[in-house]
């Protein structure tokens, strides 16, 4: 089945799926799974990645009929995936499934080393990478789902406010307000960590 | 060390960004995962996206037109109001902390 659709464009495959050929969706899945998985891996815990990516593809499939083909398919697909990740966090926070790891002095030391501008190799060695990842998870777990998404998209991925607004489907003003406030919250959390 | 200056914060964000990007190193999404996703999608037998909404709701269309108009108007007002609130908050942040806000706005 996939061999028939391998040379077709995304728009042509979408047309086939909307016309009732469910199997044609497999080509879209194979073609875009790396992009979807890459987005999901950044936003959700690794043990949830495959389930959230599956939910994203189901949403993409159900919404295919509404894709007008005006923008790029990848952009549309990315927006649905980011919103699925956001929904995952909203659900997790509602059911209080967020694991709050505790921090130790090591994490405070890591922060101080970063500020003191130690050589990259020293800060980036394996042990330090673990502390950085734990500190990041802890800080993000202390933010609301909205603030978490904004911090990840704007400050950690370096997207512009407009790009983040397009992905999340929020207004630019809303993204700017949240970006400002979430950064302040993160600053406060980091200061508290350094005082430990 | 009780306060973090902007340049220090930039260093911390850079280091955290690096930890964040390493999340991509996890290996997931093998062939069996694709099979599972397609299996789930094939089981959604009730689905068929129709692109022709007019065809679907033709008989109700004219009866629902005034209601739809009122609904659209209400939603439009709501959306304008929501954006207005965000703009208002943005202005409030600017007036309360102008220096910090300008620095952050320049970075984004």
């Amino acid at each position: 089945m996939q061999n028939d659709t391998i040379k077709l464009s995304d728009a042509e495959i979408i047309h086939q799926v909307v016309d009732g050929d469910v199997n044609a969706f497999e080509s879209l899945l194979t073609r875009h799974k790396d992009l979807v998985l890459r987005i999901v891996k950044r936003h959700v815990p690794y043990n949830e990645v495959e389930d959230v990516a599956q939910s994203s593809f189901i949403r993409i499939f159900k919404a295919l009929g509404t894709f007008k083909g005006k923008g790029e398919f990848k952009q549309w697909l990315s927006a649905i995936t980011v919103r699925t990740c956001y929904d995952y966090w909203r659900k997790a926070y509602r059911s209080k499934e967020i694991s709050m790891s505790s921090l130790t002095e090591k994490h405070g030391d890591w922060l101080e080393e970063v500020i003191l501008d130690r050589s990259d190799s020293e800060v980036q060695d394996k042990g330090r990478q673990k502390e950085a990842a734990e500190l990041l998870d802890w800080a993000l777990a202390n933010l609301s789902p909205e603030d978490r998404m904004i911090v990840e998209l704007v400050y950690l991925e370096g997207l512009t406010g407009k790009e983040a607004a397009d992905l999340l489907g929020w207004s630019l003003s809303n993204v700017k307000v949240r970006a400002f406030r979430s950064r302040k919250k993160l600053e406060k959390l980091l200061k508290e960590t350094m005082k430990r | 060390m009780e306060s973090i200056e902007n340049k220090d914060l930039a260093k911390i964000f850079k280091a955290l960004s690096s930890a964040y990007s390493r999340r991509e190193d996890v290996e997931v999404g093998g062939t069996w995962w694709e099979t599972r996703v397609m299996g789930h999608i094939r089981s959604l037998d009730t689905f068929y996206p129709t692109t022709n909404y007019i065809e679907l709701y033709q008989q109700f269309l004219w009866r629902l037109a005034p209601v739809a108009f009122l609904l659209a108007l209400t939603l439009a007002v709501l959306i304008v109001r929501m954006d207005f609130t965000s703009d208002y908050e943005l202005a409030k942040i600017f007036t309360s902390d102008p220096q910090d806000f300008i620095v952050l706005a320049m970075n984004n």
Side-chain angles (χ1 to χ4, degrees), chain A:
Chain A
M1 174 50 62
Q2 263 202 65
N3 291 336
D4 302 338
T5 52
I6 217 151
K7 287 178 184 168
L8 297 179
S9 68
D10 285 346
E12 287 166 322
I13 300 172
I14 291 165
H15 197 73
Q16 284 189 1
V17 178
V18 172
D19 282 346
D21 182 4
V22 181
N23 292 322
F25 189 77
E26 197 166 355
S27 296
L28 289 178
L29 173 68
T30 310
R31 210 175 274 188
H32 300 291
K33 75 166 191 174
D34 287 344
L35 171 68
V36 169
L37 284 166
R38 201 166 58 238
I39 295 170
V40 176
K41 276 193 271 188
R42 286 189 219 134
H43 295 288
V44 307
Y46 75 94
N47 55 330
E48 302 283 353
V49 170
E50 290 187 335
D51 286 348
V52 176
Q54 177 172 334
S55 303
S56 300
F57 271 110
I58 290 165
R59 278 172 83 161
I60 290 160
F61 175 71
K62 285 181 175 174
L64 269 188
T66 62
F67 177 66
K68 304 291 178 208
K70 285 176 188 166
E72 212 189 320
F73 181 62
K74 278 186 180 174
Q75 185 63 29
W76 183 80
L77 187 105
S78 304
I80 292 185
T81 308
V82 166
R83 288 171 208 180
T84 309
C85 295
Y86 169 54
D87 288 345
Y88 164 82
W89 283 116
R90 283 203 306 174
K91 205 175 152 196
Y93 276 70
R94 262 205 308 268
S95 56
K96 295 187 171 60
E97 282 172 8
I98 310 298
S99 62
M100 291 274 190
S101 54
S102 52
L103 295 184
T104 60
E105 268 181 26
K106 280 184 184 174
H107 299 96
D109 294 345
W110 179 85
L111 273 176
E112 296 209 3
E113 279 181 25
V114 171
I115 291 173
L116 292 171
D117 231 353
R118 294 276 173 84
S119 67
D120 276 357
S121 57
E122 204 173 326
V123 176
Q124 301 299 334
D125 72 34
K126 283 254 165 158
R128 290 315 202 195
Q129 282 179 16
K130 188 171 171 276
E131 275 144 27
E134 285 169 353
L135 183 68
L136 181 65
D137 288 343
W138 173 83
L140 292 173
N142 277 285
L143 298 175
S144 68
E146 291 79 11
D147 289 342
R148 170 191 274 269
M149 291 308 290
I150 286 295
V151 166
E152 290 180 344
L153 292 171
V154 177
Y155 297 119
L156 300 173
E157 291 183 28
L159 300 187
T160 63
K162 169 86 174 66
E163 286 166 335
D166 287 344
L167 283 175
L168 289 161
W170 299 350
S171 72
L172 183 58
S173 313
N174 192 9
V175 167
K176 284 185 174 178
V177 170
R178 286 211 173 271
F180 183 83
R181 292 199 169 144
S182 57
R183 191 177 167 120
K184 287 280 172 200
K185 280 182 205 167
L186 204 57
E187 259 184 67
K188 202 177 156 205
L189 287 167
L190 294 171
K191 278 179 196 171
E192 283 168 11
T193 310
M194 283 171 52
K195 281 181 200 168
R196 280 162 201 261

Side-chain angles (χ1 to χ4, degrees), chain B residues 41-83:
Chain B
I41 282 169
R42 285 189 189 99
S43 72
L44 300 172
D45 52 1
T46 50
F47 163 73
Y48 255 88
T50 173
T51 46
N52 197 343
Y53 295 109
I54 294 173
E55 206 175 274
L56 253 178
Y57 300 108
Q58 207 165 27
Q59 51 178 326
F60 305 110
L61 198 68
W62 293 110
R63 269 188 258 172
L64 288 174
V67 182
F69 173 74
L70 274 175
L71 200 65
L73 195 70
T74 316
L75 284 173
V77 170
L78 209 67
I79 287 165
V80 168
R81 282 190 60 170
M82 277 168 71
D83 270 324

